[in-house]
Amino acid sequence: MKVKPTYKDLEKRVQELGTDYTRLEKKKQEASLLTEEVMAYMTEGLVMTDTKGAVIFTNTRLAEMLGYLPEEIIGKYWLDVVPPEQQSIAKEAEIRRYRGYTDRYEIILRRKNGQNFPVLIGAGPRFDKQSGQFGGTMGVITDITDCKLTEEALRESEAKFRSIYEHTAVGLAQVSLDFKIISVNEAYCNMLGYQEKDLVGRHLKEITHPDVIEENIQKQVNLASGKIDYYRMEKKFIHKNGQTVNAILDANLIRDVSGKAIYFLGSVVDITERKQAEMDLQSQKKLLEGVLDSINDVIGVQLSDHTIVQYNRAGYELLGLTKDQVKGQKCYELLGRATPCDICATSGSLISGTLERIEKFIPELGRHFLCTSNPVLDENGNIKLIIEQLSDITEKKKIDEMLHHAQKMESVGRLAGGVAHDFNNMLGVILGHLEFALEKVEKNDDINDDLKEIRRAARRSADLTKQLLTFARKQVISPRRLDLNDNVESMLNMLRRLIGEDIDLVWRPAAHIWPVKMDPTQNDQILANLCINARDAIMGVGKLTIETNRQTFDEDYCREHPGFIPGDFVLLAVSDNGCGMDNDTLENLFEPFFTTKEVGKGTGLGLATVYGIVKQNNGFINVYSEPGQGATFKIYLPRLVEDEDADKAVPDRKAAAGGTETILLVEDEAAILKMTRMMLEHKGYTVLSAASPAEALEKAKINSGSIDMLITDVVMPEMNGRDLSKKVTSLYPGIKLLFMSGYTADVIAHQGLLDDRVAFIQKPFSMADMTEKVREVLDMAPDKNQG
């Protein structure tokens, strides 16, 4: 049953309703204030119109846009702020609002000061809440002046970019992220011979040379993934005609404002002509280097501070260094010097600015050079480079000295011959009259003894004159066919008496030597003079060795050994283990009246006589000696080829087989070291050359491979060949050994420098001699080759 409310209940309910109404009004006011505050601070303009288009509300922002006060706008028709040319747009918008449509559109408004400006309007209709009838419009207005300016600038920028894109000489291409061409400019088309329509849509692979496709695609993948921001590469394209186009490609990844990759932009510069020019230049450079490397003279390029830019092959070989070791070094630093040479063609050119040419001896290289330097000037006349040429004139100097010596000896010979001839005539008169005088004087007369003493002196003078004639090659001789073995054999007893019992004379004849043509008495003179010379050089007990052999020299060998003559020769060698000779003595050895003996102990004509006999018989003589190491005289007499044995001449020796073994070559004479190395390398051997025992040991220690043979000189500074071989053998057990010397093997063995069982080759030797001996030793059983 429903209870009827009392008056108090109704009164209480009315109070509650009043309280709720007050609360609602308060909230309504607060909401209204909040709405007004929001509208006041909006960055866009806000406007409301009634059904006739009159403004009934606007916010502060719109008033600022139009340049009015808010109260000046209220009641104003909206079309009043629209320029005449824009009225149709505004009216059409009003009709759409009346019909209930909401939309956004751009229009021009006019400020109070008459200035027009663009806006974006978003507008919609307002309807009465109770009746639902159209009550006017409400719109939000945004000033888009800045946007329009930006759009205009962007359009101008795009227009400029498009103009550049189309008309630049650099090829440009837009490529999609899947490597298909989006667009290309005219330069790109011209470079490859296509029209743009032929390229758009094609994959890059279709116009890229196969050699660079993978590299090109990988770089673009890295670019798209963000691993790199940009790349440059030399790229090969394929022209429409099939030819290769070389180009430099610069590629960038283009992103939108959000950072998203949208396409690749590539710029391409055709460098085909440049590449061809580079190839032509490189070919010319190689040709020039080939020409320079074919020249035996050293050709070098230096800067004005003596820094080396480049040498030709001869320069690097002379120094024994590589390009990398030489480049950037000062020329004098390579010789171990701290400052430029005192006499220097390059320094002269730097001072004079002209070509300079000097002769100089470089002790560090042990060679004489003709140095020529020529400055290269820049456009301002300053010295930019120095072209240097070094011509090795060491052999020429030796030949000049030999020629000078030969001319001197010839002059002395002519003088000696003339004097001896006239002196012989006078001696003949003296001796003749002495004979008459002795017949007239009694034997027991005191004057008889005086006359005999005069006769003895005259005869000794006649003997001396005969020696002078022999040196001058003017003595009367009777040359005939002679076997040197037989001739020496017949002289041995006399020679042993001549040298004495303390000296052991060893005779080593070679079998089947060739005959020579000479006067037998001349060979007697040679042997007597050489044996006397050896006897005087030996202090006390000693050994003298006489040997014969056959020797053949070819033109190649003689070119490397000034003084030697091509052909077949019979060798007569006389060696001793006496005191030896220094260089000064060797240089004057064959000059008449030159002697190192005490006064009264020698005439100085003994070796001059030997020299004269050898030259008279078209031979030549070489001497090998060092202080304390004895001496070896080698006389080469031309072989006699008679009609009956002409067909028996020894045929040309076949070149010995070469090999691929590694050989350690040790020789303290630079010219012989170089020549022997060239002989061995010509036959395929790998040669480690050393100018001293210390250098040889160092190379043996650092060598990473095997060493199959040691070839060493016997007599050297620091250490002899035997001791060196022991040290090398300790590093390479089983290594084959070959010793060489200008002394005979017998003399070397006698001095205790070598065992007489070792492999030995005597200087001078030909290429055939050396390579044959090397092959023979390398092929020996290990126990047959020992040091």
Side-chain angles (χ1 to χ4, degrees), residues 298-502:
V298 175
I299 307 293
V301 180
Q302 297 182 19
L303 301 178
S304 57
D305 64 350
H306 297 275
T307 297
I308 295 166
V309 177
Q310 185 178 356
Y311 274 135
N312 66 341
R313 172 193 52 79
Y316 299 121
E317 288 182 355
L318 176 68
L319 296 167
L321 299 172
T322 64
K323 276 186 178 182
D324 291 337
Q325 290 173 318
V326 170
K327 190 174 182 180
Q329 297 288 317
K330 302 260 191 313
C331 58
Y332 53 84
E333 291 175 343
L334 296 174
L335 300 175
R337 303 184 184 185
T339 57
C341 306
D342 295 334
I343 302 174
C344 176
T346 299
S347 297
S349 288
L350 289 171
I351 295 172
S352 67
T354 59
L355 183 144
E356 295 287 338
R357 182 178 285 118
I358 62 169
E359 282 190 19
K360 65 185 291 187
F361 176 72
I362 302 179
E364 292 86 353
L365 301 176
R367 314 290 291 176
H368 290 271
F369 294 94
L370 174 63
C371 304
T372 305
S373 68
N374 199 9
V376 177
L377 308 180
D378 62 19
E379 60 275 8
N380 298 319
N382 299 318
I383 295 177
K384 183 179 180 181
L385 297 170
I386 296 288
I387 307 299
E388 181 185 37
Q389 179 178 356
L390 275 69
S391 304
D392 190 336
I393 58 171
T394 306
E395 301 306 321
K396 178 179 178 299
K397 295 280 285 186
K398 289 180 180 178
I399 293 172
D400 288 346
E401 289 172 5
M402 290 172 62
L403 178 61
H404 175 70
H405 182 263
Q407 291 171 337
K408 181 178 71 173
M409 297 292 277
E410 186 68 27
S411 298
V412 173
R414 284 197 297 269
L415 176 63
V419 171
H421 181 269
D422 292 341
F423 194 43
N424 256 352
N425 291 338
M426 290 185 286
L427 283 174
V429 174
I430 292 171
L431 286 170
H433 283 286
L434 275 172
E435 295 299 326
F436 283 119
L438 284 170
E439 288 180 358
K440 295 177 181 179
V441 175
E442 297 292 333
K443 290 185 179 180
N444 57 359
D445 195 322
D446 292 339
I447 199 172
N448 186 279
D449 292 334
D450 294 332
L451 290 173
K452 287 182 178 179
E453 191 63 37
I454 292 172
R455 185 174 63 181
R456 280 193 291 272
R459 285 175 175 172
R460 285 197 298 273
S461 297
D463 290 339
L464 185 62
T465 305
K466 186 178 180 181
Q467 287 183 301
L468 281 173
L469 285 171
T470 300
F471 168 75
R473 290 171 265 167
K474 293 184 178 180
Q475 81 275 32
V476 178
I477 59 173
S478 300
R480 60 183 177 84
R481 185 183 189 279
L482 184 67
D483 185 312
L484 280 186
N485 282 351
D486 294 342
N487 183 260
V488 175
E489 192 82 43
S490 67
M491 288 278 294
L492 291 178
N493 290 334
M494 187 274 288
L495 294 175
R496 286 190 173 98
R497 289 193 298 271
L498 187 65
I499 62 177
E501 296 180 354
D502 290 337

Side-chain angles (χ1 to χ4, degrees), residues 159 304 393 522 565 594:
S304 57
I393 58 171
Q522 288 186 306
I565 302 170
F594 174 78

Side-chain angles (χ1 to χ4, degrees), residues 663-666 673-674 677 681 687-691 695-696 699:
I663 298 173
L664 177 60
L665 175 65
V666 192
L673 178 66
K674 179 181 178 182
R677 185 189 75 228
E681 289 178 342
V687 181
L688 306 175
S689 58
E695 183 183 353
K699 288 191 174 182

Side-chain angles (χ1 to χ4, degrees), residues 1-6 9:
M1 177 175 155
K2 190 173 183 183
V3 181
K4 184 179 181 181
T6 65
D9 292 333

